[in-house]
Amino acid sequence: MKIVLIGAGNVGYHLGKKLHEVGEDIIQVFSRKKNKASRLAKLVGATPTNQLNRIDTAADLYILAVHDDAIQSAAESIAEVLNGNQLAVHTSGATPLTIFEKTGLNRYGIFYPLQTFSVSTAPIFSEIPLCIDANLEKDIHLLMELGAKISDDVRYIDDEQRAMIHVAAVFVNNFTNHFFSIADNLLSHKNISLDILKPLIRETVNKINSNPPGEMQTGPAIRGDKKTMKRHLTLLKKHPDYHQIYKLVSESIQNK
Amino acid sequence: MKIVLIGAGNVGYHLGKKLHEVGEDIIQVFSRKKNKASRLAKLVGATPTNQLNRIDTAADLYILAVHDDAIQSAAESIAEVLNGNQLAVHTSGATPLTIFEKTGLNRYGIFYPLQTFSVSTAPIFSEIPLCIDANLEKDIHLLMELGAKISDDVRYIDDEQRAMIHVAAVFVNNFTNHFFSIADNLLSHKNISLDILKPLIRETVNKINSNPPGEMQTGPAIRGDKKTMKRHLTLLKKHPDYHQIYKLVSESIQNK
C-alpha cells in the first residue's frame, strides 16, 4: 500500500518506521518542521515535504498523525488536493470519527495505537492494541488488514467506546504517572530516591494480571484504618493538593 | 539465628519461608489460627502454637508480622515471658519504632519489607527493599546482616523516613490500583476488558526507569487541552467521585 505520513512526532515516527519495516510503501512524509520530515523520510525511504499543498496525490492512504487540534485543518488541506477517492485516517484516541464529516473527504477512518510513545524508546508494536474505525465498511476491513501486519491486537472500536477508552487511559497513564511524581516529591523531602518504591510499583501492575484490580484493593482506606489515614493526612499538610487527593481517593475506595 | 515468627499472614508466610530457605532456624510459628500456624510451621520445620504465652523463650529474634493494631499488645505479651535479652521486631511500614517503648522489651527494631504480598504469588525477595531500624546500634547491624541474606537492598530507615515512604506507597500502590479499578469499571460500561489498557499500564511504569515521572507527564491536563478535559468530565458525570478526582488530579498536574 502506498502511504503518505502527515506528522513526524512520536506517533508518526514510530508508526512510520514500523509500517516501513513490514513492507508498506511510505512515499512521502510531511512535517511543518523540515528537519523532522527529512529525518523520518530518510529512515523510511520517502520524500520529505513541509508544505501540505505539495502532498503526493498518488497514495492509497493518508495517515494524519498530528495533534488533536490540527486534525481537522490538515484533513481540509489534503481534501483540496486529493481527488476524493483516497482514504485518510487520524491516530487520535480523543477525536471522534465525525471530525472528518465536513472536511470534503469521502473516505476516512481512525487508526489509533493505544500506547504512550516517546522518542527514546522503541515500542513493541505487536502488543499495542490498534483501534480501528472508518465511515465505509470496506475501509474498516482494509485498516484491519493493515493493522494486523503490525499488531496482534487489532479491534473495531466505535466513537463511544474510544472516548471511554481515552478517559480510562488518562486515569491509568497520566494520573498514575502524576502519583509516581507525587511519591517522588514526598520522598525527596527525606532524601530518598523513588527507586525504593519501584519493586512495589512493578508488583502493583503484575497483580492485575491475575485478578481484577477491584478485588485486590489493599491499604488503610479499604481497611477503614482511620489512625493511619490521619497520620498520612498530617504528613501531607504542606501540600494542599496532595492532601485533598488523598482524602478524595480514599473516600472513593471506601464508596466501592 | 533462632527465630520465632509471630503471625502467619501474607508477610509472615513469605518472610518465614524465605528466612528458612537461606538457612535461618525458625523454631516456632505463632498464629491465632491453628491451621495457619501449622501450615507455615510445617513448611519451615518449626513448632506451631496458637497461644502467645506459650512462645518459645529460646530464640534470638522474635518477628512480629501481625496487623498494625496488634503489634503493641503482641509485644507486651511476649515481653512478659521473655527475659529481656531477646530482640523483637515488627514488619510494618506504618508503625513507628516508639510503639515498643512501653512494652517492657529492652531490644526492639523494625524489619520492614517494602512490598505488597499476596498468598498466590512468590515474591522476588532479592529485589525487595528492606527497611531496618532498632533502638540499639548493635541490633541495627544485626538486622542489616540478616536482611542482606534475603535482599540486595537493605537500608537503615528512621521513623520519619519510613512514615513518608508509607504514605508515598499508598499513592503508588493503593491509589494507583484504585485507578486501574476505575478504568476497569468505565470500560465495562462499553463491554471492553481492562486488557486493552495493560500495554499502556506497563509502559507507564517502564518509563520511570529512564526519566523522573515529573518530567514525563503527558495528557490533556499538562497540555492545557480544555476541550478534551471537558469531554472527559461529561463522560464521568454518572460517577460523581470519578468526576471530582478527575478535576482535582488535573488541577494538581497543572499546579506543578
Side-chain angles (χ1 to χ4, degrees):
Chain A
M1 197 181 292
K2 281 187 179 159
I3 299 173
V4 168
L5 198 56
I6 294 159
N10 286 337
V11 176
Y13 177 82
H14 288 297
L15 195 56
K17 264 184 66 177
K18 187 69 194 177
L19 287 168
H20 173 66
E21 236 176 78
V22 300
E24 297 301 323
D25 186 13
I26 318 262
I27 61 174
Q28 193 182 36
V29 173
F30 163 86
S31 169
R32 274 179 308 171
K33 290 170 190 154
K34 218 172 178 174
N35 61 332
K36 271 197 161 181
S38 299
R39 189 184 60 148
L40 181 54
K42 206 173 167 184
L43 273 174
V44 300
T47 314
T49 180
N50 65 342
Q51 291 175 281
L52 259 188
N53 55 6
R54 291 267 189 100
I55 220 73
D56 193 325
T57 57
D60 310 294
L61 176 65
Y62 294 78
I63 299 179
L64 304 167
V66 296
H67 284 151
D68 294 358
D69 46 13
I71 292 172
Q72 186 161 3
S73 68
E76 285 165 358
S77 298
I78 65 168
E80 280 176 26
V81 293
L82 299 183
N83 63 21
N85 259 333
Q86 299 102 329
L87 173 61
V89 297
H90 73 63
T91 59
S92 161
T95 310
L97 188 64
T98 49
I99 197 163
F100 287 111
E101 275 173 4
K102 290 173 187 166
T103 56
L105 292 166
N106 299 321
R107 293 172 56 203
Y108 47 82
I110 295 176
F111 196 81
Y112 166 47
L114 179 40
Q115 186 52 288
T116 173
F117 295 95
S118 44
V119 202
S120 50
T121 322
I124 306 169
F125 256 103
S126 60
E127 293 175 3
I128 299 176
L130 272 179
C131 306
I132 303 291
D133 199 2
N135 69 320
L136 301 178
E137 188 83 21
K138 66 166 183 174
D139 287 331
I140 293 176
H141 293 300
L142 187 151
L143 292 170
M144 297 281 258
E145 270 176 42
L146 179 65
K149 292 187 184 174
I150 60 174
S151 166
D152 297 336
D153 185 2
V154 188
R155 317 186 185 200
Y156 169 73
I157 296 286
D158 67 26
D159 271 0
E160 273 193 31
Q161 289 177 313
R162 207 178 45 264
M164 200 58 102
I165 289 169
H166 196 252
V167 63
V170 166
F171 276 90
V172 304
N173 173 247
N174 305 156
F175 289 180
T176 291
N177 184 71
H178 185 56
F179 282 4
F180 296 161
S181 171
I182 288 175
D184 196 14
N185 190 16
L186 291 172
L187 292 178
S188 71
H189 297 326
K190 302 290 175 196
N191 291 312
I192 301 169
S193 151
L194 184 63
D195 287 346
I196 202 169
L197 289 178
K198 286 182 181 170
L200 177 64
I201 290 171
R202 285 195 294 270
E203 184 61 18
T204 305
V205 169
N206 282 342
K207 270 187 165 181
I208 60 171
N209 289 321
S210 40
N211 286 89
E215 292 174 15
M216 309 281 280
Q217 189 62 51
T218 57
I222 195 82
R223 280 202 311 273
D225 178 350
K226 286 179 192 163
K227 234 166 75 183
T228 300
M229 290 169 72
K230 211 176 148 187
R231 231 177 358 233
H232 285 169
L233 286 169
T234 308
L235 282 170
L236 298 173
K237 277 230 164 109
K238 281 184 204 159
H239 304 275
D241 51 342
Y242 301 177
H243 190 271
Q244 250 188 302
I245 289 172
Y246 186 100
K247 277 184 80 166
L248 197 57
V249 178
S250 294
E251 279 164 25
S252 176
I253 288 172
Q254 291 171 339
N255 276 344
K256 270 216 56 164
Chain B
M1 198 183 292
K2 281 186 177 158
I3 298 172
V4 168
L5 198 55
I6 295 159
N10 286 338
V11 176
Y13 177 82
H14 289 296
L15 195 56
K17 265 184 65 179
K18 188 66 194 176
L19 287 168
H20 173 67
E21 236 176 81
V22 299
E24 297 302 323
D25 186 14
I26 318 261
I27 61 174
Q28 194 183 35
V29 173
F30 162 86
S31 170
R32 273 179 310 171
K33 290 170 190 155
K34 220 172 177 174
N35 60 333
K36 272 197 160 182
S38 298
R39 188 182 63 146
L40 181 54
K42 207 173 167 185
L43 273 174
V44 300
T47 313
T49 180
N50 66 342
Q51 292 177 279
L52 260 189
N53 55 6
R54 291 267 190 102
I55 220 74
D56 194 324
T57 58
D60 309 295
L61 176 64
Y62 294 78
I63 298 178
L64 304 166
V66 296
H67 284 150
D68 293 358
D69 47 12
I71 292 173
Q72 186 162 6
S73 69
E76 285 165 358
S77 297
I78 64 167
E80 279 176 25
V81 292
L82 299 184
N83 64 21
N85 259 333
Q86 299 101 330
L87 172 62
V89 296
H90 73 64
T91 59
S92 161
T95 311
L97 187 65
T98 48
I99 198 165
F100 287 112
E101 275 174 1
K102 289 171 187 168
T103 55
L105 292 167
N106 299 321
R107 293 171 56 203
Y108 47 81
I110 295 176
F111 196 81
Y112 166 48
L114 179 40
Q115 186 53 289
T116 173
F117 295 95
S118 43
V119 203
S120 50
T121 321
I124 307 169
F125 257 103
S126 60
E127 293 175 3
I128 299 176
L130 272 178
C131 305
I132 302 291
D133 198 2
N135 69 320
L136 302 179
E137 188 83 22
K138 66 165 183 176
D139 288 330
I140 293 177
H141 294 299
L142 187 150
L143 293 169
M144 295 282 258
E145 272 176 42
L146 179 66
K149 291 186 184 174
I150 61 174
S151 166
D152 297 335
D153 185 3
V154 188
R155 316 185 187 200
Y156 169 72
I157 296 287
D158 67 26
D159 271 359
E160 274 193 30
Q161 289 177 312
R162 206 177 46 263
M164 199 59 102
I165 289 170
H166 196 253
V167 65
V170 166
F171 276 89
V172 304
N173 173 247
N174 306 155
F175 289 178
T176 292
N177 183 72
H178 185 56
F179 282 5
F180 296 162
S181 171
I182 288 175
D184 196 14
N185 190 17
L186 291 172
L187 293 179
S188 71
H189 297 327
K190 302 288 174 197
N191 290 314
I192 301 169
S193 150
L194 184 63
D195 287 347
I196 201 170
L197 289 179
K198 286 182 181 171
L200 177 64
I201 290 172
R202 284 195 294 269
E203 185 60 17
T204 306
V205 169
N206 282 343
K207 270 189 165 179
I208 59 169
N209 288 322
S210 41
N211 286 91
E215 292 173 16
M216 310 280 281
Q217 190 63 50
T218 57
I222 196 82
R223 280 202 310 273
D225 178 350
K226 285 180 192 163
K227 236 167 72 183
T228 301
M229 289 169 72
K230 211 176 150 188
R231 232 179 356 235
H232 285 169
L233 285 169
T234 307
L235 283 168
L236 297 173
K237 275 228 167 111
K238 281 185 204 159
H239 304 276
D241 50 343
Y242 301 177
H243 191 271
Q244 251 189 301
I245 289 171
Y246 187 99
K247 278 185 78 164
L248 197 57
V249 178
S250 293
E251 280 163 23
S252 176
I253 289 172
Q254 292 172 338
N255 277 344
K256 267 216 57 167

